[in-house]
Amino acid sequence: NAGVMQNPRHLVRRRGQEARLRCSPMKGHSHVYWYRQLPEEGLKFMVYLQKENIIDESGMPKERFSAEFPKEGPSILRIQQVVRGDSAAYFCASSRQGVNTGELFFGEGSRLTVL
Amino acid sequence: QQPVQSPQAVILREGEDAVINCSSSKALYSVHWYRQKHGEAPVFLMILLKGGEQKGHEKISASFNEKKQQSSLYLTASQLSYSGTYFCGTERLVGSGNTPLVFGKGTRLSVIA
């Protein structure tokens, strides 16, 4: 059973470009969570999605950031017009049901560098 | 609201014990503990649920004081492989529906020979 798959693992963008990060949850998991991690810091919650629905986006910046989890295909975190402050590791996690039923399974992360 | 972890960092010799604490200002439904090694994904250790149920790692124990909104992770007879950053993640107690995990800033544990 494949784990949570994230791609790309590393992404380099110039200021003003767009970054698209993809996450395929574990088979049978319908809950997806995106977290951002800066060097030497914790995991900052961004958005929680279920299939075709955004459940909680309280951690998402109001501008330039968007996320989706379509009926078919991976979840996508999209960052438009990237700035240097967007450089970070972005982790995706999935669960079969809500977090109170068990663990989150994390992907290896996508490391974004903005030049 | 982000939970607060303490200590921020700790260094142990093999075989020593450590306690990592996590506290929240909000009523909690569950507390999770994860360990992350440098450059890797966080890995699940333990979940503690309101009401006392626990699921997790056999060699690691934890407690959850619901009234105080606090949890502690107990690492006994530490091994080199225990090194990493430990995160607690808290799930708020709300009327209905699922809420995401909010993680603390982490506790960096270094075990030396």
Side-chain angles (χ1 to χ4, degrees):
Chain A
N1 190 10
V4 177
M5 304 299 292
Q6 289 189 246
N7 67 81
R9 293 290 309 278
H10 300 275
L11 182 63
V12 179
R13 285 286 179 266
R14 296 190 179 278
R15 282 179 296 170
Q17 292 184 320
E18 178 179 288
R20 284 196 179 209
L21 310 177
R22 287 174 289 278
C23 169
S24 296
M26 286 185 68
K27 186 177 180 181
H29 286 195
S30 60
H31 298 241
V32 166
Y33 313 81
W34 284 94
Y35 290 87
R36 177 163 65 178
Q37 187 173 40
L38 293 170
E40 309 304 322
E41 291 194 14
L43 297 152
K44 184 176 182 298
F45 167 73
M46 298 183 73
V47 62
Y48 165 28
L49 310 104
Q50 293 182 34
K51 283 288 188 181
E52 300 183 274
N53 290 306
I54 295 175
I55 307 302
D56 186 334
E57 56 181 347
S58 58
M60 287 274 274
K62 293 288 185 271
E63 298 178 350
R64 303 188 298 108
F65 285 72
S66 62
E68 62 176 8
F69 188 15
K71 186 177 181 180
E72 300 291 338
S75 174
I76 295 174
L77 180 67
R78 182 184 179 201
I79 311 172
Q80 296 177 289
Q81 299 176 315
V82 296
V83 300
R84 289 212 174 117
D86 297 333
S87 296
Y90 292 83
F91 286 94
C92 168
S94 73
S95 64
R96 186 178 299 275
Q97 296 175 340
V99 297
N100 57 11
T101 60
E103 66 182 285
L104 296 186
F105 292 84
F106 281 85
E108 295 292 327
S110 291
R111 283 153 182 82
L112 173 66
T113 301
V114 180
L115 302 177
Chain B
Q1 297 292 341
Q2 185 178 37
V4 177
Q5 287 186 235
S6 63
Q8 289 185 325
V10 59
I11 300 175
L12 297 176
R13 292 195 178 276
E14 273 188 293
E16 291 182 337
D17 302 338
V19 179
I20 301 173
N21 300 302
C22 174
S23 64
S24 173
S25 60
K26 300 288 186 182
L28 301 176
Y29 186 83
S30 70
V31 178
H32 293 223
W33 287 94
Y34 287 76
R35 178 173 62 209
Q36 184 181 31
K37 294 186 180 286
H38 185 69
E40 299 182 7
V43 174
F44 173 79
L45 295 175
M46 173 85 62
I47 177 174
L48 302 105
L49 300 170
K50 183 177 169 64
E53 184 180 358
Q54 295 186 20
K55 305 175 190 177
H57 204 287
E58 290 183 359
K59 295 185 178 181
I60 294 174
S61 63
S63 63
F64 178 23
N65 186 324
E66 298 167 28
K67 288 185 178 180
K68 293 185 177 180
Q69 290 117 232
Q70 294 176 345
S71 177
S72 294
L73 185 72
Y74 305 97
L75 303 166
T76 57
S78 59
Q79 305 170 17
L80 293 175
S81 62
Y82 285 11
S83 294
T85 302
Y86 289 77
F87 293 100
C88 72
T90 55
E91 179 193 9
R92 289 180 291 115
L93 184 66
V94 295
S96 62
N98 296 315
T99 64
L101 281 183
V102 178
F103 287 95
K105 290 189 175 182
T107 295
R108 184 179 297 178
L109 177 70
S110 300
V111 181
I112 58 176

